[in-house]
Amino acid sequence: MNEKITLSHGAGGQHMDAFIKEMILDEFAQNMAAEVPLHMLDDSAVINDIVFSTDSHTIQPLIFPGGDLGSLAVAGTINDVSVMGATPIALSSAFIIEEGFSVKTCKHIIHSMGQTAKQAQTPIITGDTKVVEKGAIQEMMINTSGIGQRSTVLDENIKEVQRYRSFPQRWLLDSNLKPGDKLIVSGNLGEHGIALLSFREGYGFETQVQSDVAPLNSLIHNVLQVGGIVSAKDPTRGGLANTVNELSEKSHVGVLLNEETLPISQGVKAACDLLGLDPLSIGNEGKVILGVVSEKANEILEKIKKHPLGKNAAIIGEAQKDIKGVVLETTIGGKRILQKPIGDPVPRIC
Amino acid sequence: MNEKITLSHGAGGQHMDAFIKEMILDEFAQNMAAEVPLHMLDDSAVINDIVFSTDSHTIQPLIFPGGDLGSLAVAGTINDVSVMGATPIALSSAFIIEEGFSVKTCKHIIHSMGQTAKQAQTPIITGDTKVVEKGAIQEMMINTSGIGQRSTVLDENIKEVQRYRSFPQRWLLDSNLKPGDKLIVSGNLGEHGIALLSFREGYGFETQVQSDVAPLNSLIHNVLQVGGIVSAKDPTRGGLANTVNELSEKSHVGVLLNEETLPISQGVKAACDLLGLDPLSIGNEGKVILGVVSEKANEILEKIKKHPLGKNAAIIGEAQKDIKGVVLETTIGGKRILQKPIGDPVPRIC
């Protein structure tokens, strides 16, 4: 018995779920002080009204169409804090750099981090730098952690939800969906993973498809102003399929998705057809899935569409009492179960 | 011009200072909202009364005499939060793991993290797991970030300082030393670095010298109860030499250290003599240097000595107006300038 870690342990799908549950949660069980503790496996934890999240970014290549390791590291963590309904207030940044790495590329990435943080009005206030000998790491990896706090806009959003249904929660948790809630996606799916894969492997689709990497705090702030949002989650590793399944499992509610409404660009469609990939399992880095009370869905959609990052937003489905898991109503009129991907069709994308 | 990153860029000495100042601080300049911003380069930053710190741990080997990557990752970040005078309230944990890494060793490290967090009563509440292909990283690296908050014990400590001198600060900053303040170290120097180096290289000193890795929040809490502490800093990379120079530079005050009073075990002395290393430049992972008002120094020393981690504590020097930098009064009666190490005599120790 000499078991080994495999790539799928970190791929954001079923294997990773099992790995985390078996190897980590019990060991880190003293979580009771947290309002949203580790074992809820939400995008961030919450303790003493501080929202807290972390992400280590191990992407290859470091610079890709539409972004780079730096913009990804900043946007990724801002998004994990923002989808709780919190306002990100600060980031940390920890570099691990390989000896011999190009100072010029390093500068490029650090500049990009600074610019993305500035765009998102979220300062990087603390950091760490480690350099390891050649071969001990591949070029550069960045961890960003983030903290966020409540804002009045979150409180107002919750009051608005409470006009339509009972809602005792204080944050936009994965477990908050109820039958009847609508699901909205903020834009085209699969662009980050396809841009990265295509660029890395030289498939050529990167001329049509760029990564969507972007900080979503301003978009989420805007939709919270409308009110009526119960859940929010960014579909990163494992894509929409993984994210909607998480919402469904944690909320104990089925979800019916309408394939026809899913916004997917021609470039991503063409790439996925050619490569035999499911765009619904491909990671995104600048998209959010919102669960909203049905009465507010249209108003929220209109508001998102006014944001530069939300132009292709769409209502894509509904939580339903009478179905199990996530069911996709296909364009040809059939229905299929949409499962969590088992591994990751495109590794090293975040 | 195709400049490359070198190991000394991450070694915690003069090269790293320059690297951070030149490449990072300007890019991350939008820090003004922070009470203790990035450019103060203290052990943690502070924003909205939240203390925030991060560390990526790249140690080799992963398990060493006295500890392992897991205990180190937890203790290191708890210490960075604690030396601000804050009470650590939560940690994050982000794993990067190499494909093919032993599940057994992985479990050992995660168990050790959990145990150290429990011992320090600081829960790990959020996390991330990435697995990268074989060769993209060496075994496993862990980032821990930490948040802390003010406690009444910090407020009381500050009131006690104010009985003796003007003290407008709210945290135990590196820049808080004034002439006349005494420096106290909580125990023997150099043990972490020597234990690790000896074990890694097979020098054999590890039978006498174990790593001192330990969370210091309970010790720091105890001494804050005495009151009169103005500064605290853990002498990790670059050891005492680096830490005291940081305090001296940031406080614009000279420091006179008395070599005779420096607590160093026979094992570390013997190893350093043989290997030609200066124990004052060797990293520690369970020690703190305190700057205290002179009137309280003896009382604080007595309190530290009662803590299991403070048995070998000693008053080691004094901040003085009339000297520049850090001066060591040697056991043979001479004086020498103690500089920041340029690189790191023992790489990959944290």
Side-chain angles (χ1 to χ4, degrees):
Chain A
M1 279 299 287
N2 194 4
E3 236 183 310
K4 305 283 187 192
I5 301 284
T6 66
L7 283 177
S8 65
H9 283 125
Q14 292 177 24
H15 275 173
M16 182 160 139
D17 285 359
F19 175 73
I20 288 173
K21 278 165 196 161
E22 283 163 28
M23 288 194 49
I24 300 177
L25 293 191
D26 281 353
E27 297 292 355
F28 295 174
Q30 50 136 359
N31 254 286
M32 300 316 153
E35 182 182 352
V36 180
L38 181 66
H39 68 255
M40 286 179 69
L41 296 175
D42 222 305
D43 297 275
S44 297
V46 184
I47 190 166
N48 294 5
D49 259 7
I50 303 165
V51 175
F52 188 24
S53 194
T54 191
D55 246 321
S56 282
H57 303 270
T58 61
I59 199 158
Q60 270 293 324
L62 301 184
I63 299 172
F64 49 83
D68 57 59
L69 174 64
S71 57
L72 177 75
V74 168
T77 293
I78 284 177
N79 295 348
D80 280 339
V81 170
S82 303
V83 293
M84 303 299 287
T87 303
I89 60 163
L91 297 175
S92 67
S93 152
F95 302 124
I96 312 176
I97 312 174
E98 185 185 24
E99 182 188 11
F101 183 57
S102 149
V103 167
K104 191 176 157 199
T105 310
C106 191
K107 277 187 178 166
H108 177 98
I109 287 166
I110 293 172
H111 178 73
S112 169
M113 288 187 83
Q115 291 302 108
T116 309
K118 199 171 172 180
Q119 176 197 342
Q121 300 187 345
T122 308
I124 300 166
I125 65 168
T126 188
D128 177 49
T129 302
K130 297 279 157 65
V131 179
V132 293
E133 69 274 17
K134 210 157 171 59
I137 197 177
Q138 196 175 10
E139 297 189 313
M140 185 176 189
M141 294 179 183
I142 301 178
N143 176 282
T144 45
S145 300
I147 53 177
Q149 293 187 299
R150 292 192 79 75
S151 64
T152 51
V153 81
L154 175 59
D155 292 330
E156 293 299 321
N157 169 73
I158 287 173
K159 275 189 207 155
E160 188 66 19
V161 174
Q162 287 164 340
R163 286 185 54 204
Y164 299 97
R165 68 170 171 86
S166 155
F167 192 77
Q169 283 78 21
R170 301 179 68 244
W171 305 95
L172 307 184
L173 305 179
D174 294 349
S175 54
N176 288 353
L177 276 190
K178 293 275 184 226
D181 291 341
K182 298 284 185 189
L183 290 183
I184 297 176
V185 65
S186 63
N188 289 349
L189 293 166
E191 293 179 346
H192 176 71
I194 292 301
L196 203 88
L197 176 72
S198 176
F199 180 64
R200 189 161 67 197
E201 308 295 338
Y203 295 143
F205 294 102
E206 65 273 17
T207 53
Q208 304 164 60
V209 185
Q210 296 235 319
S211 166
D212 61 345
V213 59
L216 292 166
N217 52 333
S218 113
L219 181 143
I220 292 172
H221 179 88
N222 284 5
V223 293
L224 286 172
Q225 286 179 321
V226 178
I229 296 159
V230 301
S231 260
K233 197 167 182 67
D234 53 335
T236 56
R237 278 183 285 181
L240 178 93
N242 200 60
T243 300
V244 179
N245 270 289
E246 289 270 315
L247 294 171
S248 163
E249 281 171 23
K250 293 181 186 167
S251 296
H252 305 288
V253 69
V255 171
L256 186 68
L257 294 175
N258 182 344
E259 189 174 27
E260 210 160 36
T261 62
L262 295 174
I264 303 173
S265 72
Q266 279 309 317
V268 168
K269 264 193 193 127
C272 283
D273 282 351
L274 195 84
L275 302 168
L277 295 171
D278 178 0
L280 308 189
S281 296
I282 303 291
N284 310 273
E285 289 292 343
K287 296 293 160 4
V288 61
I289 313 278
L290 301 173
V292 309
V293 295
S294 61
E295 294 86 347
K296 300 287 289 186
N298 288 323
E299 197 183 336
I300 290 166
L301 182 66
E302 289 318 304
K303 184 76 175 193
I304 302 183
K305 282 171 165 286
K306 286 186 187 130
H307 193 281
L309 297 173
K311 288 193 296 261
N312 299 310
I315 297 172
I316 58 170
E318 190 182 74
Q320 293 192 355
K321 192 166 54 182
D322 299 328
I323 57 175
K324 276 210 153 190
V326 181
V327 174
L328 189 71
E329 230 173 358
T330 63
T331 44
I332 54 166
K335 282 186 182 175
R336 70 171 172 101
I337 290 170
L338 185 68
Q339 286 187 309
K340 276 190 188 182
I342 292 177
D344 190 345
V346 193
R348 298 289 295 275
I349 67 158
C350 63
Chain B
M1 279 302 286
N2 194 5
E3 238 182 310
K4 303 284 188 194
I5 300 284
T6 66
L7 284 178
S8 65
H9 284 124
Q14 292 178 23
H15 274 171
M16 183 162 140
D17 285 359
F19 174 73
I20 289 172
K21 279 166 195 161
E22 282 164 27
M23 289 192 51
I24 300 177
L25 294 190
D26 281 354
E27 297 292 355
F28 295 175
Q30 50 136 359
N31 254 286
M32 299 315 151
E35 183 183 350
V36 180
L38 182 66
H39 67 256
M40 286 180 69
L41 296 174
D42 222 304
D43 297 275
S44 295
V46 184
I47 190 166
N48 294 5
D49 259 7
I50 303 165
V51 175
F52 188 24
S53 193
T54 191
D55 247 321
S56 282
H57 303 270
T58 62
I59 200 158
Q60 269 295 323
L62 301 184
I63 300 173
F64 49 83
D68 57 58
L69 174 65
S71 56
L72 177 76
V74 168
T77 293
I78 285 179
N79 295 347
D80 281 339
V81 170
S82 302
V83 295
M84 303 299 287
T87 302
I89 60 163
L91 298 175
S92 66
S93 152
F95 302 123
I96 313 175
I97 311 174
E98 185 185 23
E99 182 188 11
F101 183 56
S102 151
V103 167
K104 193 177 154 198
T105 310
C106 191
K107 277 187 179 168
H108 177 98
I109 288 166
I110 293 172
H111 178 71
S112 169
M113 289 187 82
Q115 291 302 109
T116 310
K118 200 171 171 182
Q119 177 197 344
Q121 300 187 342
T122 308
I124 300 166
I125 65 169
T126 188
D128 178 48
T129 302
K130 298 280 158 63
V131 179
V132 294
E133 69 276 16
K134 209 158 174 55
I137 195 175
Q138 195 175 11
E139 299 189 311
M140 183 176 191
M141 294 180 184
I142 301 179
N143 177 282
T144 44
S145 300
I147 52 176
Q149 292 188 299
R150 292 193 78 75
S151 63
T152 52
V153 81
L154 175 60
D155 291 330
E156 293 299 320
N157 168 74
I158 287 173
K159 274 189 207 155
E160 188 65 19
V161 174
Q162 288 165 340
R163 286 185 54 205
Y164 299 97
R165 68 171 172 85
S166 154
F167 192 77
Q169 284 78 22
R170 300 179 67 243
W171 305 95
L172 307 184
L173 305 179
D174 295 349
S175 53
N176 288 353
L177 276 192
K178 292 276 185 228
D181 290 342
K182 298 284 184 189
L183 290 185
I184 296 176
V185 66
S186 64
N188 288 349
L189 293 166
E191 293 178 346
H192 176 70
I194 291 300
L196 203 88
L197 176 71
S198 175
F199 179 65
R200 189 161 67 198
E201 307 297 338
Y203 295 142
F205 294 102
E206 65 274 18
T207 54
Q208 304 164 59
V209 185
Q210 295 234 320
S211 167
D212 61 344
V213 58
L216 292 167
N217 52 333
S218 112
L219 181 144
I220 293 172
H221 179 87
N222 285 4
V223 294
L224 286 171
Q225 286 179 321
V226 178
I229 296 159
V230 302
S231 260
K233 197 166 183 69
D234 54 335
T236 57
R237 276 182 287 181
L240 176 95
N242 200 59
T243 300
V244 179
N245 270 289
E246 289 270 315
L247 294 171
S248 163
E249 280 171 23
K250 292 181 186 168
S251 295
H252 305 289
V253 69
V255 171
L256 185 69
L257 293 175
N258 182 344
E259 191 174 25
E260 211 160 34
T261 61
L262 296 173
I264 303 173
S265 72
Q266 278 308 319
V268 168
K269 262 192 197 130
C272 283
D273 281 351
L274 195 85
L275 302 168
L277 295 171
D278 179 359
L280 308 189
S281 295
I282 303 292
N284 310 273
E285 288 292 344
K287 296 293 160 7
V288 61
I289 312 278
L290 301 173
V292 309
V293 296
S294 61
E295 294 86 347
K296 300 287 290 185
N298 288 323
E299 198 184 336
I300 290 166
L301 181 66
E302 288 318 303
K303 184 77 173 191
I304 302 182
K305 281 171 165 286
K306 287 188 188 128
H307 194 281
L309 296 174
K311 287 194 295 262
N312 298 310
I315 298 172
I316 57 170
E318 191 184 73
Q320 293 191 353
K321 192 168 53 185
D322 297 328
I323 58 176
K324 276 211 153 191
V326 181
V327 174
L328 189 70
E329 230 174 356
T330 63
T331 44
I332 53 165
K335 282 186 181 176
R336 70 171 173 98
I337 289 171
L338 185 68
Q339 285 186 311
K340 276 191 186 180
I342 291 178
D344 190 344
V346 193
R348 297 290 295 276
I349 65 158
C350 63

